[in-house]
Each structure stands twice: as C-alpha cells, then as structure tokens.
Amino acid sequence: MNQRFLSIVGLATTMALAGGCAANKQATQAQKKNNTTSELTTGQTAVPVWAPKQHDFNPSRTREHDLLHTTLRVSFDWQKQYLHGIAELTLKPYFYPQNKLVLDAKGFDIHAVHLLKGIDGTPLKYDYNGEKLTIDLGKAYTRNDKYTIEINYTAKPNELTVGGSDAIAQDKGLYFINPLGEEPNKPRQIWTQGETEASSAWFPTIDAPNERMTQEIYITIDKDFTTLSNGTFMYSRQNADGTKTDYWKQELPHAPYLAMMAIGKFAVVKDKWRNLDVDYYVEPEYRNTAKKIFGNTPEMMEFFSKKLGVDFPWAKYSQVVVRDFVSGAMENTSASTFMEDLQLNERELLDKHWDGIIAHELFHQWFGDYVTTESWANLPLNEAFANYSEYIWAEHKYGSKEAAYLQLDEMGQYLEEAETKREPLIRYRYGDKEDMFDSHSYAKGGRILHMLRKLVGDDAFYASLNLYLTKNKLSDVEVAELRMAFEEVTGQDLMWFFDQWFMKPGHPELQVNHNFQNGQLSLNVKQLQDTTYMPVYKLPIKVSVWVNNVRTDYPVEITKADQTFTLPVSAQPQLVLFDGEQQLLAVIDHQKSEEELRHQFYNSNSVLAEFNALTTLAENPGKETKLLLDALNNDFWFIRSTALNALADVKPENSAALVSKVEQIAKQDKKGSVRADAILLLSGWGGEKYSKVYETAMNDSSYQVAAAGILAYANTESPDKEQKLSRFEKESNEEIVIALSSYYALQAGPEKYDWFVKRINESNGGKKYYLLQSFSAFLATNSSTNTPETINMLADIARDNSLYFVRMAAFQALMVMSDKPEVKELLKEIRSQEKDKRLIDMYNRVL
C-alpha cells in the first residue's frame, strides 16, 4: 500500500479544515511550540496533545486452523453488484484438535456449506451472523487431518457498513465501477482491495495477515473483458452462454489480504524480466505510453533482486490501473493495482513520473508478500521497507540529490503528523488497525531504516536483509526477527537501536552549541524531548568540521541528556555541521552565524544542509542577493525552486539582477515545475509587463508551466484574457482544469456554470476534490446558480462518492447554500447517513 494516497487525502483534509499544510521548517517550528502546550491535564500534570494513546493490547490472530488452499469460482451480477461464489477451502487444525471452524465472511448470503470428499458433499450445520461463519465440522480433526469445505454464497459488498482509513478510503473489498454503463466517460470494471481485512468481503477465509494459502480462481465474465489475478494464467474457456471462464493459479502461499481480481477492457502491454512475464494493464488510450509509465519495472526487478540477493520470488509480475481505486496502490502478490492517476499521456510525462509508487509496490513483493507481518501492529515491516525502496531506487537511478529530496519530504510528513500524534513505530496498543497506516509506519519507518543502514554499513545492511528474507520466506514475522537477522550478520547487540526507534514513541529534539578555544572545539548537545514519553537516545553520528576549506568528520556517540564533546581542531572552524551525513531523524536547533550558514550552503554538498542554510538566510533576502542568485543557478531543481519561493517578499525594483534571472528561469529552466514557480513569482510581483512571458507559458509543452501561465495571465488586466483563457476549457489535464477553476471561482459569472458541472462530473479523486473547492467559491458569488439541480448534484456526491474527502468537499459546497431551509435539512440527512467517523466528527462541528 502506497503512502501517496495517504498524503493526498491528508493534504485535502488539512487544507479543508486548517487552510494549508506545513513545509519541513514550518513543521519543525510548530513542533517546538507544541512541546510546551497541552490538550489535557491529569491532576497537575500536563499531557501533550501528541501523547501516545492507551488502548487495549492487540495480539496477532490465534491460529486454530491452518488454511492451506482456496479455490474460488466466481461470477457477477452487474445490475445488483453481487458476486456469486463457490469457495473450496482446504484446512487442517493448527495444533490442537478442532470440531468447529470459524471463518471471516462479511455481508454474505450463505446458501449451503458442505464437507467435500472427492466429488461428494455432506451438508454441514453452521451459524452465520453477517461477519463470522461458524461451521460445525461434525467431528474433531487433529493436526494430521486435512479436510475441504465447500461454501456456496453471494457477496453483497454495497450493503456493508463502510469503514476505512487515510490510506485506504473504503473497506468493502469488492468494487463495481460504472456497473450499468451509465457514465459515458468511465469504463465498466470490477476490482478487489483486500488490505487490511476486506478479502473476507468477497470470499470466506481466515482474514488475518499471519495466515497463508495457495490459491486458484475461476472467473466467469463476459468474453469482451480481460481478467487479472494472482499467479499464472492457466487458460480461458469459452462458455455456451457467451461468457468465458479464466483460470488463474497461485502456487506459492500468500496471505488472504493479498488475493486480487481486476476485470475490465484493458490494453495489455507486454514486457519481460529475465524469463518472467511483466505486463502492464491500462485503458486502451494509454497503450502507447504504458511502457513509458511502467517501463523501468524490469530494471527495478533486477536492481532489487541483486541488492537483496533474493530474486523476485513470484511467477509473473503484472501492474493494473483501475478507476476510482480506494488507495494509491496495492501490492497484491504478483499483480499490483494502481490508481488512475498513473495513466499519463506523452505531454503529462514531461512533468512527472511514477517511479516512486511503482518501486514501492514492487518492493512489497519481498517485504509484505514473500515475508509478511504477523499482525497489523508490525505493519512497518511491510510499509517502512516499501517506503525506503523509493529512496534506494531514486539513489540508484536519479542520484543522491533526488534521494535526499525524498528524505526531506519524508521528514516533513512525519514531523507534521508528530505535532498531534507520537506512537511507537511497532505498536500493539492501537485503537483501530487502520490507525497503523500513517506517517509513522511509512515516512518515519523509512527514515529509521536509513539510519540502520548508516549504522551498520551498506554491506551488512543488505546481507542482513538477505538473511531476514531467506530465513523467513513464505512466513509471517514480527520485529524481533528483523533485529535478530541484523544481529546475526553484524555480531552486534542491536536491542538498543530497535528499542528506542521501533518500540518507543517520538524522536530526539536536540539543542546543539559549539565553541572554539585554544585549539579545541567544544560541542555541547542537550536532548530536550519530554522523557516522560520518549527515551534519552543513543545517537552515534558524525560531526563534520571545515577548517581552511578542508572537511574532517569526527565520530561521536551521544548517550546522555546533556553531553559535551571536545574535538581537536587546528583553527577557528568555518563550519560545524552536526550530523554531517544528515541521516538523523531529529529536530535540531544549532545556531550558526550568517557566515557559517553561507559556508554550509556552498560547501556541505548535502541537499538537506543546503536547504536549511538557504531557508534560514533567505529570511532576510535583501542581504543575500548573491547567495540567492547562486541558488537560482544551482544544478538541483529543488534548490532553485526553494530560492524562487524565498523571493516572494523581495521588492523587484531593488534587485534588477534577481528579476532578470527569474525571467530567464521562467523562459528557459529545464525543469517544468521550476519554470512554473518563476512565472508565478513574476505574477506575484505584479508583473504586468511580463504578459508576453505568460502568453508564451500558456503554450509551453509542460502542463505545469501552461497552468502557471493561465494563473499569471488571469492576474493581469489584459482585455483579451477571457478570450485567451477560454481556449483551454476543453482541456482535461488536471493542472489546466484546476488553474481555470481557481480563476473562474472568483472572477466568472453564471456563464461558467455548465463548464464547472461538466468538469466535476468527468473528474475523480483529488481533481474532483479541488474542483469542488473552487465550485464552492463560485456558488458563493453566483447565487443564481444555486438551483435544485446544483443541490441534487452535490448531494449525490456527498452521499455516494467512494472517497471520503470528495464527499466532504461536496458537503462543504452545499454549506454555501445552507441559508436555504431545504439545504439545511439535506445536510442533516447526509450527516445522519454518513458512516465514516472522520466526516461525522467534522459535520457535527458545523451543524
């Protein structure tokens, strides 16, 4: 499961409720402030808002039976959105004798249960409560006895009570997309999503991550549809009624939540890795760009196989893009599913690639599928590794600076979450298993693995991962197995590392001061984190010191709350860089002079150190013209972009050189997002005289640049801007549509109503969310468009959209019209029907 979806919905919710999200530095500053505030008090003791919550202990599922094999025969009722299934489950008692079997089976009609012997079936008695199917086996079986149960059932996913999380918006397991073909711009599809425990919403099983089964699926569907499932495609049989039955076989065991189906009219683009099939399932219009989107997959498979010393373990690898997916992506064994955002045309590919999410789901084929967490409490054993794969792939393919940028982003995500939530990485006392899908399990987990790699060294890191994978293959694990693999390889006792980083909440908050005197550098480090909840950390790091333009790295080990180190230095240092490798997950307050910060920017050769120096110095941009000019010439796009953002408050008339450089970047920078930043900066400066630059930008090959040009030109007083902007109204690209909607939201009259409605109805996911936000503002300034048709459209979205944050945006748009009594009653009705706790809480605050 990829965190990108979590980040998208987190941003959406934050923007909707709080007006924006923090950058890394802002998150750090907010967190420092937050350390002194509290939400609750117990007696005289202040409890921080982020204090770990105490819930009941959540153990792994007790294994009474061992599920050995599942055979499914499924067909579908598109009209009712039902699955008709026959499931054959082969099991044996795990250890103790058993005379009953309890299966997870959510929202089924159970038609019959039989004990199979050959082709004969004996009816069995059962009880069913809508979630658990309890079967009387008729006798006690021992751990040496295998038996096979046949269950004839109908799954009705749309009749389930829907839950979900920030990472996985719904948990009904089986999804029919445009089932009746009533939406002209959307294909008909069926797909499944099993994580966390939603496979039992489409077939009866033991729905726990510490269970493993082999699997066969026979999918009967109209012959015009293409199917995908786990494992190997065995054959397709044509049926007399015009349907076909496709047979897929998964021969190595995997957890039930990793079972999948995807059905649709896909173009299947073929590729290879060594002797294995690598296929990309996309909508037909993206057939020609599928290899440009997914084409690095074989190289990734080779890279990861060699790094881990364990070849990709499954029979094939397929990647399918589906509509209205409830997450960013999902690592189903041998067949990953992705959200539709991955489908890009040639022009969109100029601005972006999806290597991160593709690497993430691929790495899960080892960490999550081949070796699986035994309980959701240990989820970082899946997600932290998949998260870190994005770093190691970027490092390999795109260089250390791109990898460092990813880690800077990860740090910001975690620190933002840490303002209100600090839990152990491995946490057995979660309130809900869905709570595990957060920036702790992903972003913090990936950073901790990077620190572990730096601690033991690259050779030991990958040797340890090899041992972990080979020793625990096709089984379930907890964090102790990972620690023991590292200890066996390195010979070190690493309990201290795993205890403080995996088992304890929070992170170090360090105050660092340095002083040079008499040939010695004195370095004082104070740990300021609240040790009521967080440990005093052991931190082996390097301190980098520059003297006469020569860098020397000094290893130090911090073990106390207040500790001073003395380092031999021959002259006054030009720079002291604490954590010279910039690998530590910590908030660090290390005051430096402006001259030291300049030396850090020019000499650290570290994206994070350059960024921190640049953002600190740019707080007074008037003094830093040369540095900002140099930053605008930096070879890494992110530093150029950071410098452009720092110039927002500069008066352009005071620096002709900076203005000239920004104009040059707007026209010529090789990175589209940087050109876009420069165009918006010129516009923010009130740059009417740059109208020609904006016009040129609107015709740029990059959609990002064109969108920036639209916003900039809309901000001018040019008499022809309506005409020039209207030519983009047929564009469907998200960047262009959102740019236009932002302008029309505040400047357009009722004549743009039809454009908004058409675009809202055609859009999905984040694009629909942002359009609805703009539409809210449009409705507020165009009361004549507040018609019953508008109200009905928004109400349908607020009730029925699969993504909770889209429902929220439609609800907010309706609130613009809440002065109408009928709308106020409608809002109350929507609130009463909403089943997502997050939205219920929000709605209760405003109604």
Side-chain angles (χ1 to χ4, degrees), residues 604-714:
S604 64
N605 196 31
S606 160
V607 168
L608 181 56
E610 289 176 20
F611 170 76
N612 286 334
L614 176 59
T615 52
T616 303
L617 289 167
E619 290 174 0
N620 191 356
K623 291 178 60 178
E624 300 296 340
T625 300
K626 181 182 183 307
L627 180 132
L628 287 168
L629 277 170
D630 289 340
L632 292 174
N633 284 302
N634 194 277
D635 64 355
F636 186 45
W637 67 268
F638 175 66
I639 298 298
R640 300 196 300 277
S641 181
T642 301
L644 288 168
N645 292 328
L647 289 170
D649 296 327
V650 169
K651 294 181 179 179
E653 60 269 19
N654 293 340
S655 182
L658 281 172
V659 173
S660 175
K661 182 61 184 176
V662 171
E663 184 178 1
Q664 179 191 358
I665 289 174
K667 297 175 180 177
Q668 300 176 2
D669 197 276
K670 59 187 176 183
K671 182 78 170 178
S673 62
V674 178
R675 297 201 300 280
D677 286 343
I679 290 160
L680 294 175
L681 176 59
L682 291 173
S683 177
W685 278 342
E688 290 277 341
K689 64 180 179 178
Y690 297 108
S691 294
K692 293 296 183 185
V693 176
Y694 311 151
E695 286 191 72
T696 301
M698 287 192 287
N699 295 309
D700 197 278
S701 58
S702 162
Y703 278 121
Q704 289 181 359
V705 177
I710 289 169
L711 289 171
Y713 202 77

